[in-house]
Amino acid sequence: MTKKELIKLKAARLFRLKGYKATSMRDIAQEVGMEAASLYNHISNKQELLAELMMHIAEIFTEGMENILQSSLSPREKLERLIGLHIRYTVEKPNAVAIITSEWVHLEEPTLKEYLLLRNSYEKNISKIIQDGIAQKQFAEVDLEITVFSILSTLRWLYSWYHQQENINPVELEQRMIQSLLDGVNIRN
Amino acid sequence: MTKKELIKLKAARLFRLKGYKATSMRDIAQEVGMEAASLYNHISNKQELLAELMMHIAEIFTEGMENILQSSLSPREKLERLIGLHIRYTVEKPNAVAIITSEWVHLEEPTLKEYLLLRNSYEKNISKIIQDGIAQKQFAEVDLEITVFSILSTLRWLYSWYHQQENINPVELEQRMIQSLLDGVNIRN
DNA sequence: GTCTATAAGTCGATAGAC
DNA sequence: GTCTATCGACTTATAGAC
């Protein structure tokens, strides 16, 4: 791991715990074990840290979504994969997931615009999957807007719930979440 | 409206838009139409603004919950009332609802402890309602933890979705949300 | 009750020695 | 590549004139 990667790792944890604005370069430096001035030999400024952390995880989710969309899975299976995607990265990179959910307001232009573009298209893609599922009669005729919002809220804020659950198995969690979220969407028998 | 109420009103909007840490006393003063120093004739410090805004809305939700619990409604009706409660205050006080959801991390002790106490008991009460509904066979045997988390996520983050919907009728929204959230919980026919 | 002036501290970021 | 020293701007909050 390079020094820059270490700095980003420590910054991510602090941004998550205290928020971007409340985290100082001195805070980050202390975690890394150097003086604040030395950070600037590895990064150009504080905003760069936020931008790189955010765009990296945003691109991971975007790629995950593209893989799901390009597959020949059914809408139900696509939704299951999407839930799996969120659980995997919530467990693997909880800090990054927390930051992308809560700290994006502190992004400056032009990165803010780039992020919002990815975010919008991500939401539209979820909407499309559910719409397809309804059209193919795999899902009940639910309220599209509210269902998308509800699923997205649950997936986005999973990190805040997950980190206080200690002995939970990610694989088991995935099964429980799939069942819980899809039973509200799934066609009744 | 007193000057203090006006200050809290303007502060709430800025805390929501920019976050507590990124909002300066000068920002608030400018919105109110006075100098930053003059604010201190009406409030004692910045943290007091956050604490009063947060605890006021927290108590509103706590009282709403108590009214629901003390009623003789069925679990399903209680959950419907709870959804109505969140929609009402999301529409009436979107800034306060946003702040309680996103800015509570910046609360200082002892208010932080008080807030977390209310928050914990609120979550336990939702859990109790759903548990009762399952016991009375009004709800399906859903995964309790995940269902509570999912409903709470959806209700808490409603403000972020609502403020970008322009022509939505709160009464209609309530019906749509009740249907959407409860169909995932409700027993299948 | 509002203002100007300012205290006392923190912020992000840079300069330059080593 | 890390340090010390420091700049200049900004922060919350107070003192005191009016």
Side-chain angles (χ1 to χ4, degrees):
Chain A
M1 183 162 49
T2 66
K3 268 279 163 65
K4 179 164 182 177
E5 284 168 340
L6 176 66
I7 292 168
K8 283 165 75 172
L9 199 77
K10 298 295 190 182
R13 187 174 151 270
L14 289 171
F15 290 168
R16 179 215 178 136
L17 289 174
K18 309 173 59 167
Y20 175 75
K21 281 281 178 184
T23 300
S24 71
M25 296 304 280
R26 286 167 178 82
D27 292 334
I28 298 169
Q30 191 177 31
E31 287 286 306
V32 175
M34 54 170 62
E35 292 303 313
S38 307
L39 294 173
Y40 292 88
N41 284 309
H42 307 279
I43 59 152
S44 56
N45 53 50
K46 185 184 177 186
Q47 175 70 203
E48 185 192 74
L49 283 175
L50 181 66
E52 289 190 9
L53 285 168
M54 290 263 319
M55 292 311 285
H56 178 240
I57 188 79
E59 278 156 16
I60 282 178
F61 277 106
T62 300
E63 278 170 32
M65 174 65 90
E66 278 166 9
N67 285 335
I68 290 169
L69 290 180
Q70 282 162 14
S71 72
S72 54
L73 297 169
S74 73
R76 185 194 158 102
E77 287 165 330
K78 283 179 181 166
L79 206 47
E80 285 181 5
R81 290 286 180 96
L82 197 75
I83 293 168
L85 181 73
H86 277 261
I87 290 175
R88 184 159 75 252
Y89 289 109
T90 299
V91 172
E92 269 180 31
K93 296 171 180 294
N95 295 330
V97 169
I99 291 168
I100 206 177
T101 303
S102 301
E103 302 299 316
W104 63 269
V105 282
H106 297 113
L107 272 181
E108 296 168 8
E109 299 293 3
T111 319
L112 178 59
K113 250 187 203 75
E114 290 170 36
Y115 165 71
L116 288 175
L117 225 63
L118 291 183
R119 189 169 177 261
N120 257 327
S121 119
Y122 195 81
E123 290 179 17
K124 275 187 189 135
N125 284 330
I126 296 186
S127 189
K128 187 68 169 43
I129 290 172
I130 293 176
Q131 247 177 316
D132 287 349
I134 296 173
Q136 297 176 27
K137 302 207 185 294
Q138 204 170 21
F139 299 149
E141 287 199 4
V142 293
D143 189 305
L144 185 64
E145 283 178 301
I146 290 179
T147 302
V148 170
F149 164 71
S150 176
I151 289 177
L152 250 176
S153 294
T154 305
L155 292 178
R156 277 184 178 147
W157 299 97
L158 181 60
Y159 80 89
S160 68
W161 177 78
Y162 180 77
H163 94 282
Q164 62 190 9
Q165 312 295 316
E166 283 166 15
N167 306 315
I168 219 164
N169 180 331
V171 180
E172 186 203 322
L173 174 63
E174 184 168 331
Q175 285 311 311
R176 287 167 63 190
M177 282 218 44
I178 286 172
Q179 202 188 11
S180 182
L181 286 185
L182 288 192
D183 275 355
V185 171
N186 227 1
I187 204 154
R188 314 285 181 278
N189 303 314
Chain B
M1 183 163 48
T2 67
K3 267 280 163 66
K4 178 163 182 175
E5 284 169 340
L6 176 65
I7 292 168
K8 283 165 75 173
L9 198 76
K10 298 295 190 182
R13 187 174 152 270
L14 289 172
F15 289 169
R16 180 219 176 131
L17 289 175
K18 310 173 57 166
Y20 174 75
K21 281 281 179 182
T23 300
S24 71
M25 297 303 280
R26 284 172 178 80
D27 292 335
I28 299 169
Q30 191 177 30
E31 286 286 306
V32 175
M34 55 169 61
E35 293 302 313
S38 307
L39 294 173
Y40 291 89
N41 284 311
H42 306 279
I43 58 153
S44 54
N45 52 49
K46 186 184 175 184
Q47 175 70 203
E48 184 192 75
L49 282 175
L50 181 66
E52 288 190 10
L53 284 168
M54 291 263 320
M55 292 311 285
H56 179 241
I57 188 78
E59 279 156 16
I60 282 177
F61 276 106
T62 300
E63 279 170 31
M65 174 65 90
E66 278 166 10
N67 285 336
I68 290 169
L69 289 180
Q70 282 161 13
S71 72
S72 53
L73 297 169
S74 73
R76 188 196 156 98
E77 287 165 329
K78 283 179 180 165
L79 204 47
E80 285 181 5
R81 290 287 180 97
L82 196 74
I83 293 167
L85 181 73
H86 277 262
I87 291 175
R88 183 159 75 251
Y89 288 109
T90 299
V91 172
E92 269 180 32
K93 297 171 180 291
N95 295 331
V97 169
I99 291 169
I100 205 177
T101 304
S102 302
E103 302 299 316
W104 64 269
V105 281
H106 298 112
L107 272 181
E108 295 169 8
E109 299 293 2
T111 319
L112 178 59
K113 248 186 205 73
E114 290 171 36
Y115 165 71
L116 288 176
L117 224 64
L118 291 183
R119 189 169 176 261
N120 258 328
S121 117
Y122 195 81
E123 289 180 17
K124 277 189 187 132
N125 285 330
I126 297 187
S127 189
K128 187 68 169 47
I129 291 172
I130 293 176
Q131 249 177 315
D132 288 349
I134 296 172
Q136 296 176 28
K137 303 206 184 292
Q138 205 170 21
F139 298 149
E141 287 198 5
V142 293
D143 188 305
L144 185 65
E145 283 179 300
I146 291 179
T147 302
V148 170
F149 163 71
S150 176
I151 289 176
L152 249 175
S153 293
T154 306
L155 292 179
R156 277 183 178 148
W157 299 97
L158 181 60
Y159 82 87
S160 69
W161 177 78
Y162 180 78
H163 93 282
Q164 62 188 10
Q165 312 295 315
E166 283 167 12
N167 306 315
I168 218 163
N169 179 331
V171 179
E172 187 203 322
L173 175 63
E174 183 168 332
Q175 285 311 310
R176 288 167 63 190
M177 283 219 42
I178 286 172
Q179 204 189 10
S180 182
L181 286 185
L182 288 191
D183 276 355
V185 171
N186 226 2
I187 205 153
R188 314 285 182 276
N189 302 315

